Amino acid sequence: MQIVDNQVAEDGEAPLSDRIVRAISDAIISGDLPGGAWLRESELASRFGVSRAPLREALRLLEERRLIERLPYSGVRVIQLTLKMVADLYEIRAALEAIACQRAAQRITPDDIAALEAMLAAEGEQIDGIERDRQRRLSPIRDFHTRLAEIAGNDELLRLLSRDLWRHARSYYHSAWKTLSERSRAAHFEHVAILEALKHRDGELAALLMRRHIDHSRAILERHIAEQDKNEASAGGQKSE
């Protein structure tokens, strides 16, 4: 992927450093840059066709967003997923998306319901393919969840979710894709149940179902990380023997 190296954005485009941030974060989320991968400025500059100055600013922004980390005397690498990171993120995400459901229940319109029903129908049609091909990527997490946050009508809530929470969640999902592909069917029916509660304007039930939905994904991710840690510890023990 090449990004035109102009410090001045043209035609209303985002500043170059922001476009580099988006390109690198997309590579992290897609798994092209996996957790623990070392990031070298020369390689990134060549890969994205940019100079060092905007690249360094982009790396600083990515570090602020906790997608990468800088280690003393070692360099910069993609953040490696830990149990605490998942627990912290999903605790906040569950609380905020529960609020979104409560607000959405008060504001949802027949047109909103029809659009969400069409979205979930399309989602349901993809499940068999997702389960057959575990390398297939999940649909962006923003589809159903973002639409509910938009319906909620709280711009600050949407900003908080969109800026970091969903990006991190998508990155986490891709890191555990083979495990989470098996969850696609259950997650779909959880979406359907949330929509049913919203159709009846039952904000408390929709919020409860959303919390459970997010907690189920969190539990699977935590098991995935624990298994990875166990395997790495076992491999390290074998090497030292």
Side-chain angles (χ1 to χ4, degrees):
M1 176 180 180
Q2 294 289 306
I3 300 174
V4 178
D5 192 353
N6 291 324
Q7 291 287 13
V8 179
E10 299 177 356
D11 299 327
E13 288 185 347
L16 179 59
S17 59
D18 287 350
R19 283 180 279 154
I20 300 170
V21 166
R22 189 182 312 120
I24 295 176
S25 61
D26 284 347
I28 293 171
I29 289 165
S30 69
D32 289 341
L33 290 173
W38 292 100
L39 303 179
R40 294 174 175 80
E41 286 187 9
S42 59
E43 293 175 2
L44 291 174
S46 175
R47 174 172 178 170
F48 296 111
V50 296
S51 59
R52 296 290 185 93
L55 176 60
R56 285 170 182 161
E57 173 63 13
L59 292 176
R60 184 188 66 78
L61 293 171
L62 288 164
E63 188 176 5
E64 286 183 359
R65 296 183 184 182
R66 296 183 65 240
L67 286 174
I68 66 173
E69 60 183 348
R70 194 177 303 274
L71 301 181
Y73 311 112
S74 298
V76 178
R77 70 178 182 183
V78 178
I79 286 280
Q80 287 186 296
L81 201 55
T82 67
L83 286 170
K84 187 177 188 308
M85 288 168 63
V86 169
D88 290 350
L89 175 77
Y90 275 73
E91 180 181 13
I92 297 170
R93 185 184 163 204
L96 292 180
E97 294 207 45
I99 294 171
C101 282
Q102 289 173 322
R103 290 181 60 88
Q106 301 168 6
R107 298 169 52 90
I108 199 164
T109 68
D111 286 344
D112 292 329
I113 291 170
L116 287 167
E117 286 177 333
M119 183 182 295
L120 293 186
E123 180 183 85
E125 291 173 357
Q126 298 174 13
I127 290 174
D128 287 342
I130 290 172
E131 290 180 337
R132 282 196 305 269
D133 182 3
R134 294 190 178 187
Q135 295 306 311
R136 179 174 174 172
R137 296 306 188 201
L138 289 167
S139 298
I141 200 169
R142 55 170 291 147
D143 291 349
F144 181 72
H145 293 261
T146 301
R147 187 65 196 118
L148 293 187
E150 289 170 347
I151 293 169
N154 185 318
D155 292 340
E156 187 63 17
L157 176 64
L158 181 60
R159 186 192 69 80
L160 287 170
L161 287 165
S162 298
R163 182 177 178 186
D164 289 324
L165 287 176
W166 282 327
R167 268 191 178 274
H168 283 297
R170 286 171 63 195
S171 177
Y172 295 178
Y173 265 61
H174 285 297
S175 73
W177 172 245
K178 290 186 178 181
T179 300
L180 287 169
S181 64
E182 298 173 351
R183 167 148 168 76
S184 299
R185 191 173 300 276
H188 168 68
F189 287 113
E190 289 166 8
H191 286 166
V192 171
I194 292 167
L195 180 55
E196 282 298 310
L198 292 173
K199 286 164 66 174
H200 291 89
R201 297 190 178 277
D202 191 336
E204 288 189 11
L205 178 58
L208 175 63
L209 293 173
M210 180 60 81
R211 281 183 175 275
R212 288 178 178 173
H213 171 65
I214 293 171
D215 284 346
H216 290 161
S217 295
R218 168 183 167 175
I220 291 175
L221 274 171
E222 288 176 337
R223 287 198 298 271
H224 169 77
I225 296 167
E227 186 65 26
Q228 272 193 329
D229 291 346
K230 180 181 176 181
N231 291 339
E232 289 176 4
S234 176
Q238 291 175 358
K239 288 179 181 179
S240 64
E241 291 177 356

